[in-house]
Amino acid sequence: MKTVRADFNARTSDNRVRIDTPLSKRAIAEVSVGPGTWVWLQDDDVRAPARLENEQVALVVWRLLEDVATDGTGSEARSRALDRVRRAFSASVPGGESQRLEAARFLGLVEKVIEPGRADYLRSRLAQQLGERELAVAFAEEAVRAAPAYSGFVQQWLNTRIDLDPTNGLEAARRQHDAFGRKDWRIAFCLARALGQAARGSHSTELHREILAVAKDALTTAGPTAAVRAGLHVSRGFAFMHLGQRSEAIDEFTAAIDANPEQPEPHAARGLETYPAPGAVEDLRRAIELGHLTYWPFYYLAHYYMSIGAWADANANATRALQLEPPRRVRANLLEWVGICQVEQGDSLTEATRQLKEAQALAPELTRIADNLKLIRARLMSETVAREPLSIERDANYAFEDLAA
């Protein structure tokens, strides 16, 4: 065996290649190239090894895949193996359009050695990644037409429908959930996603109760991965939260963390729900460490640092939250906090005034912002004015409905 590094032509005497993939230490791909080609991956989730760039891994996998595809027709076992190589490639592609277009070109070669519908499924995935939503739906429909009983193809079709038209996608997901006897976790997960989008910003108790039931259906069936189980628990947690069942919501977020501790969303959700209780700040920090990229954790951490007078940390978190497109009232709060931090750190009062004026324009109903603006303007007029303290919103949950949206 020889470990492939950047040498795409590396082969051993028996024409076998080994690719180590340490994100999952057990994940090793072994490929024999030539007559009777076969492929085996021990893990579905195979990603780039530390010593190779993602793009290099993608090229290695595609070279091997091209060899397989040009070798002729294949057995069912080889078809499954090819699909798993394709998953490895999907996890390795860094996101560049040129790599995805290259993938589309190779699908023409691969099509003759994989089961009906698989190539259209993969084309749908590529179209989805390229932002071609209507094309993604069309390819997914072809895949479902070839194998209507395979929920993996139906899941892709539903996801593309939900992306293109959330309302019609929701109805399609409901119909498929019934068609599969409410026993397929993939379909239930799609329906939970569509319901979550419909319930966002809604006060409909019916939608939130439906989320609870559908997510429970998925959790009680065999097959969901750890990441999916965590996502379903988070969906149930938010549904409970909207229904005013706080204890049940926290339990669901905790169950999500137990299911997949490396998933950032459950940490962010539990931190949001339990703030400012002990442990909430650590949950929010952990969510950010794991790559959570919504304004929630940054917003709450900014509030926390403001409350203890840690102005530099507050400013950094508020500034990051502003970059993540928060809703109107939350944005107004954050702009005000940035201005206050600038005042407290001795920065430009003129710039602080600008921040608060923008905040006031966004949320004129928040009289506190107007009061703080008057204090800053007074300081601008005279350095002898007493330093009357600026005030902040003491309850970070005041804009909960905006946050939940």
Side-chain angles (χ1 to χ4, degrees):
M1 290 284 185
K2 181 181 291 186
T3 298
V4 176
R5 295 181 184 276
D7 181 4
F8 302 145
N9 297 311
R11 298 286 187 272
T12 60
S13 58
D14 61 353
N15 227 12
R16 297 172 73 186
V17 178
R18 172 172 170 143
I19 305 172
D20 291 313
T21 52
L23 259 183
S24 175
K25 292 184 179 178
R26 302 185 313 279
I28 295 176
E30 293 183 355
V31 182
S32 175
V33 181
T37 295
W38 57 270
V39 182
W40 176 253
L41 294 181
Q42 287 179 278
D43 285 343
D44 287 345
D45 187 20
V46 179
R47 302 189 182 181
R51 63 180 170 277
L52 285 180
E53 296 296 329
N54 283 352
E55 193 172 339
Q56 290 175 310
V57 173
L59 288 170
V60 171
V61 173
W62 272 117
R63 289 291 178 91
L64 299 170
L65 185 54
E66 184 179 21
D67 288 339
V68 172
T70 55
D71 185 51
T73 58
S75 65
E76 182 182 351
R78 205 167 112 202
S79 297
R80 289 197 301 269
L82 274 167
D83 181 41
R84 301 185 81 177
V85 169
R86 197 40 202 98
R87 293 188 198 182
F89 171 73
S90 296
S92 300
V93 172
E97 183 173 345
S98 61
Q99 286 83 8
R100 290 169 180 155
L101 293 175
E102 184 74 355
R105 185 179 73 82
F106 275 113
L107 281 174
L109 291 171
V110 178
E111 190 167 15
K112 63 184 177 181
V113 293
I114 59 180
E115 65 269 26
R118 180 64 59 178
D120 284 318
Y121 165 80
L122 297 177
R123 288 189 179 100
S124 177
R125 292 285 299 273
L126 287 167
Q128 195 175 26
Q129 291 173 348
L130 291 167
E132 298 289 345
R133 294 183 176 183
E134 292 183 359
L135 194 59
V137 172
F139 280 133
E141 286 175 350
E142 290 299 317
V144 171
R145 191 172 290 114
Y150 177 52
S151 64
F153 293 168
V154 177
Q155 179 188 28
Q156 174 63 12
W157 175 65
L158 290 175
N159 280 330
T160 59
R161 286 283 301 274
I162 293 165
D163 289 342
L164 183 64
D165 185 336
T167 301
N168 288 336
L170 171 58
E171 293 309 312
R174 281 174 169 150
R175 290 193 297 271
Q176 290 296 326
H177 189 48
D178 290 335
F180 278 81
R182 297 175 174 262
K183 295 184 183 300
D184 190 285
W185 67 266
R186 293 183 180 90
I187 309 303
F189 188 60
C190 285
L191 179 52
R193 176 189 169 220
L195 287 166
Q197 288 190 12
R200 194 169 294 164
S202 168
H203 296 286
S204 168
T205 58
E206 291 79 8
L207 282 174
H208 295 299
R209 294 192 186 283
E210 189 177 358
I211 290 172
L212 291 176
V214 169
K216 185 177 180 180
D217 287 343
L219 286 166
T220 54
T221 60
T225 63
V228 168
R229 295 185 71 83
L232 291 165
H233 281 298
V234 168
S235 294
R236 283 176 56 83
F238 278 118
F240 276 126
M241 197 164 69
H242 281 279
L243 293 169
Q245 297 174 247
R246 187 168 181 269
S247 177
E248 289 84 351
I250 295 171
D251 287 345
E252 291 290 342
F253 296 144
T254 301
I257 292 170
D258 291 341
N260 191 7
E262 300 304 304
Q263 196 162 325
E265 288 77 12
H267 294 278
R270 189 172 69 177
L272 180 152
E273 181 60 14
T274 57
Y275 184 83
V281 170
E282 287 309 310
D283 269 337
L284 296 169
R285 286 172 176 157
R286 182 62 178 151
I288 291 172
E289 288 173 3
L290 291 171
H292 190 82
L293 286 179
T294 70
Y295 54 85
W296 290 358
F298 298 100
Y299 170 78
Y300 275 83
L301 285 175
H303 184 272
Y304 166 72
Y305 287 124
M306 290 281 291
S307 69
I308 64 172
W311 307 114
D313 288 329
N315 194 8
N317 280 278
T319 300
R320 186 69 183 98
L322 284 167
Q323 295 169 353
L324 297 171
E325 300 183 359
R328 176 186 65 87
R329 289 182 64 193
V330 174
R331 185 173 185 84
N333 232 16
L334 290 164
L335 286 166
E336 180 195 25
W337 294 350
V338 169
I340 291 174
C341 289
Q342 290 171 339
V343 171
E344 297 297 341
Q345 292 181 105
D347 296 335
S348 167
L349 292 179
T350 302
E351 177 60 20
T353 300
R354 188 188 68 78
Q355 299 283 357
L356 268 74
K357 286 177 69 176
E358 186 177 346
Q360 187 181 39
L362 282 171
E365 73 275 14
L366 298 179
T367 57
R368 181 198 67 254
I369 297 177
D371 293 339
N372 283 334
L373 189 55
K374 288 178 183 177
L375 290 173
I376 295 174
R377 282 172 170 165
R379 292 190 192 184
L380 270 173
M381 298 296 293
S382 173
E383 295 183 0
T384 62
V385 172
R387 290 179 58 86
E388 185 175 344
L390 302 172
S391 61
I392 68 168
E393 174 59 57
R394 293 297 172 186
D395 181 8
N397 291 305
Y398 88 98
F400 169 74
E401 291 179 9
D402 285 337
L403 281 171

